[in-house]
């Protein structure tokens, strides 16, 4: 389908000034992609100036949380090109999230139109420093104005973008969350929906007051195996081997998690996807058998974990950052930023469009 480019886009892009400090997700690119779905029929997409949305106060998304999103990045390569990383994985995951919330999946071709158009027009906004990128945030919302509890008949799909540094650069102190759950068994834990993040905020505000950065969520069914961190997946390194919670329906299947498993195995590491009991893990950290742990995600890439806090007790990792996470972070960034061969076929080049 053809994509309509609003003539005002050129001025918006020309008028944009990149600030000196980027941070994560606070500077917004001046354009966005939009498509609408009415009664199951998708429009073609359009690129328009970034602007607030006009939503009816009775829109389903505001009351019944019909909303899902993706996180992905456009990377600057060493020859000044722009790359997307495994975008079809994000398209598939967003379709899964949409179906879980009874929303019409964004067709893969439309999803690709959205991310490729934004990346192409915003090519000059992709930062050049290693570890920085143009963070892309596709999202889908139910817009029908109707307070009955039923699926919306109308939806809007957007792709916005933000030139960003890595999320959570530096080491992280994790709090083992033994009270709250982020998602119920049989709920939405393996879907990327706003409600999962809303459910994590109270825990995060409590732990921040205690000097921690993120919650380490336990499985909501058994309350004793490790699930994930909400915005990131979890890995531990024990005697040089990698261990990560196996997917179980309440863990979001991270694209970075999946890529690191393939990359680590290709580099000769053994990777175990298994249930990790929290008390066993803490004992292994205490004994030094687990020397290194890290969180990974699109936004964060790889963030080393320095401490696991459980109630009043702190379990300190001895290698922060450890050699395995350092090695994998660099190997992944080398592929994403075009310094190394891409034996997996993960990268997709985007041709920049000048306005
Ligand atoms: C991502 O890594 O893209 C995420 O979605 C994490 C985000 C919630 C900050």
């Amino acid at each position: 389908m053809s994509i309509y480019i609003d003539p005002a886009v050129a001025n918006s892009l020309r008028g944009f000034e990149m600030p000196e400090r980027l941070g994560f997700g606070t500077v917004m690119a001046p354009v966005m992609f939009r498509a609408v779905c009415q009664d199951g029929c998708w429009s073609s997409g359009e690129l328009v100036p970034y602007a607030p949305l006009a939503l009816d106060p009775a829109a389903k998304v505001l009351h019944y949380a019909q909303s899902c999103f993706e996180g992905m990045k456009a990377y600057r390569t060493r020859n000044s090109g722009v790359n997307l990383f495994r975008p079809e994985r994000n398209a598939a995951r967003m379709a899964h999230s949409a179906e879980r919330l009874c929303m019409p999946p964004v067709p893969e071709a439309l999803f690709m139109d959205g991310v490729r158009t934004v990346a192409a027009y915003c090519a000059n906004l992709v930062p050049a420093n290693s570890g920085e990128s143009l963070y892309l945030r596709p999202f889908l919302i139910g817009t029908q104005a109707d307070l009955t509890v039923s699926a919306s008949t109308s939806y809007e799909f957007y792709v916005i973008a933000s030139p960003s540094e890595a999320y959570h650069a530096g080491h992280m102190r994790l709090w083992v969350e033994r009270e709250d759950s982020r998602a119920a068994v049989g709920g939405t834990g393996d879907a990327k929906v706003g409600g999962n993040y809303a459910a994590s905020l109270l825990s995060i505000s409590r732990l921040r007051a205690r000097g921690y950065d993120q919650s380490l969520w336990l499985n909501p069914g058994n309350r004793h195996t490790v699930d994930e961190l909400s915005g990131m997946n979890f890995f531990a390194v024990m005697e040089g081997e990698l261990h990560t919670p196996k997917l179980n329906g309440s863990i979001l299947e991270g694209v970075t998690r999946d890529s690191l498993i393939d990359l680590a195995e290709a580099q000769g590491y053994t990777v175990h996807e298994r249930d990790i009991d929290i008390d066993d893990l803490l004992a292994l950290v205490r004994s030094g058998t687990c020397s290194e742990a890290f969180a990974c995600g699109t936004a964060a890439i790889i963030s080393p974990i320095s401490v696991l806090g459980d109630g009043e007790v702190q379990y300190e990792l001895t290698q922060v950052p450890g050699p395995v996470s350092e090695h994998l972070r660099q190997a992944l960034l080398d592929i994403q930023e075009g310094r190394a061969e891409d034996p997996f076929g993960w990268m997709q080049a985007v041709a920049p469009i000048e306005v």
Side-chain angles (χ1 to χ4, degrees):
M1 279 204 273
S2 65
I3 302 164
Y4 171 75
I5 309 295
D6 186 323
V9 153
N11 267 348
S12 305
L13 284 164
R14 283 191 210 116
F16 179 80
E17 278 182 35
M18 194 82 114
E20 226 156 79
R21 299 273 344 244
L22 291 177
F24 173 81
T26 51
V27 178
M28 293 302 157
V31 296
M32 62 187 186
F33 181 89
R34 175 170 76 193
V36 300
C37 179
Q38 183 64 51
D39 298 316
C41 272
W42 280 98
S43 71
S44 52
E46 50 182 15
L47 189 71
V48 296
Y50 185 89
L53 309 185
L55 274 185
D56 191 292
K60 301 266 191 190
V61 59
L62 300 177
H63 303 272
Y64 308 128
Q66 266 197 307
S67 153
C68 61
F69 68 95
E70 273 305 313
M72 51 202 295
K73 285 175 169 174
Y75 301 85
R76 169 79 55 210
T77 62
R78 77 180 155 171
N79 57 4
S80 300
V82 169
N83 268 346
L84 292 174
F85 181 69
R86 308 186 78 183
E88 68 292 342
R89 292 293 301 249
N90 298 91
R93 190 171 65 181
M94 190 156 181
H96 168 74
S97 303
E99 275 162 2
R100 182 63 187 82
L101 297 188
C102 204
M103 304 164 87
V106 178
E108 183 179 293
L110 181 62
F111 183 96
M112 292 298 174
D113 279 352
V115 294
R116 293 185 75 85
T117 305
V118 171
Y121 277 84
C122 295
N124 289 335
L125 278 61
V126 182
N129 294 329
S130 180
E132 296 181 353
S133 58
L134 183 68
Y135 184 73
L136 300 171
R137 175 54 70 89
F139 65 97
L140 173 67
I141 54 175
T143 53
Q144 184 193 4
D146 168 8
L147 296 179
T148 56
V149 183
S150 57
S152 180
T153 52
S154 56
Y155 294 88
E156 293 182 13
F157 168 59
Y158 291 88
V159 182
I160 57 172
S162 171
S164 290
E165 297 166 20
Y167 184 57
H168 271 298
H171 67 90
M172 283 191 305
R173 294 165 56 84
L174 299 194
W175 170 260
V176 178
E177 179 52 78
R178 292 205 185 247
E179 285 171 33
D180 292 1
S181 298
R182 68 177 265 283
V185 174
T188 53
D190 68 349
K192 201 161 177 66
V193 303
N196 292 347
Y197 297 83
S200 73
L201 299 179
L202 183 60
S203 169
I204 294 176
S205 81
R206 282 196 303 248
L207 67 87
R208 294 240 160 109
R210 307 179 79 143
Y212 288 87
D213 300 301
Q214 288 291 321
S215 323
L216 182 60
W217 296 99
L218 301 181
N219 183 272
N222 63 36
R223 313 284 316 145
H224 65 87
T225 56
V226 174
D227 263 4
E228 58 151 277
L229 278 77
S230 223
M232 290 164 262
N233 291 110
F234 177 82
F235 278 82
V237 182
M238 301 175 195
E239 296 174 327
E241 300 190 346
L242 288 147
H243 298 251
T244 191
K246 78 163 188 257
L247 301 176
N248 58 11
S250 63
I251 295 175
L252 186 75
E253 186 171 355
V255 179
T256 307
R257 172 191 180 279
D258 181 70
S259 310
L260 284 178
I261 292 172
D262 288 351
L263 186 58
E265 286 178 341
Q267 307 248 343
Y269 292 103
T270 300
V271 184
H272 305 271
E273 291 182 75
R274 64 174 181 88
D275 291 334
I276 301 177
D277 185 277
I278 185 62
D279 295 320
D280 293 348
L281 175 68
L282 294 174
L284 291 167
V285 172
R286 163 106 335 137
S287 69
T289 302
C290 175
S291 52
E292 187 180 340
F294 60 88
C296 69
T298 297
I301 318 173
I302 284 185
S303 278
I305 295 163
S306 55
V307 172
L308 296 175
D310 186 25
E312 295 309 314
V313 189
Q314 296 194 8
Y315 296 80
E316 297 193 6
L317 280 301
T318 51
Q319 297 183 297
V320 189
V324 178
S325 61
E326 286 275 89
H327 177 76
L328 290 176
R329 183 178 191 279
Q330 197 54 52
L332 183 62
L333 275 177
D334 283 347
I335 294 176
Q336 291 171 328
E337 295 173 351
R339 288 181 296 274
E341 284 302 303
D342 171 19
F344 308 97
W346 284 338
M347 305 314 299
Q348 288 187 18
V350 173
I353 297 178
E354 289 291 334
V355 292

